[in-house]
Amino acid sequence: MLPAAQFEELVGEALDDLPPFFQAQMDNVVILVETWPSRATLRRMGLRPGETLLGLYTGIPLTERTPASHLAPPDTITLYQGPIEHAAAGWDEGEYLDRVREEVRHTVIHEIAHHFGIDDDRLIELGAY
């Protein structure tokens, strides 16, 4: 497993690589890194044993905001280092760090899509998986 600081650098790179329009829409979003999702989180998300999360968006998508939404706490995107690294380890090609970097990037974009109101079904339609 990468040192936490190195993993967080990869997260920062992925966020820095976002186009300016998307960065501007992220002013009330907190990015968190945790090692693994808790069992409670996995249950809350309806995942079965053996399934896990790479990331989790929690908040009010931009498409569902109302004038009162400014009173809500910041949205959060949580990235789970262990599952992301495990997913990257299953790739066939490339250096490990490059595979983790790409998995972080993919997970960041996926969770940001939820912030913009794009659900998993639509991401599948768009070919994001």
Side-chain angles (χ1 to χ4, degrees):
M1 198 162 197
L2 297 174
Q6 187 176 17
F7 187 84
E8 290 173 9
E9 284 179 28
L10 297 177
V11 173
E13 286 175 19
L15 293 168
D16 289 345
D17 287 344
L18 292 172
F21 170 81
F22 293 101
Q23 289 180 4
Q25 303 301 315
M26 302 287 296
D27 65 339
N28 198 31
V29 180
V30 176
I31 308 295
L32 305 171
V33 174
E34 293 183 13
T35 307
W36 294 95
S38 69
R39 288 183 183 187
T41 298
L42 294 173
R43 278 192 307 270
R44 188 174 73 246
M45 297 309 299
L47 296 174
R48 292 178 231 138
E51 295 180 322
T52 194
L53 291 172
L54 303 181
L56 180 63
Y57 167 76
T58 305
I60 302 170
L62 294 176
T63 55
E64 297 176 17
R65 302 235 170 149
T66 67
S69 295
H70 74 282
L71 299 173
D75 294 1
T76 60
I77 291 175
T78 306
L79 302 170
Y80 298 107
Q81 181 177 350
I84 288 172
E85 287 196 45
H86 182 55
W91 292 17
D92 291 335
E93 297 182 21
E95 296 291 325
Y96 181 72
L97 186 60
D98 291 335
R99 295 189 322 250
V100 174
R101 178 179 285 112
E102 185 56 32
E103 194 65 50
V104 165
R105 182 183 170 284
H106 180 81
T107 304
V108 164
I109 291 170
H110 176 98
E111 300 309 328
I112 289 172
H114 292 320
H115 173 65
F116 281 86
I118 302 171
D119 65 15
D120 285 337
D121 291 337
R122 181 67 178 135
L123 287 169
I124 291 169
E125 289 174 14
L126 294 170
Y129 289 103

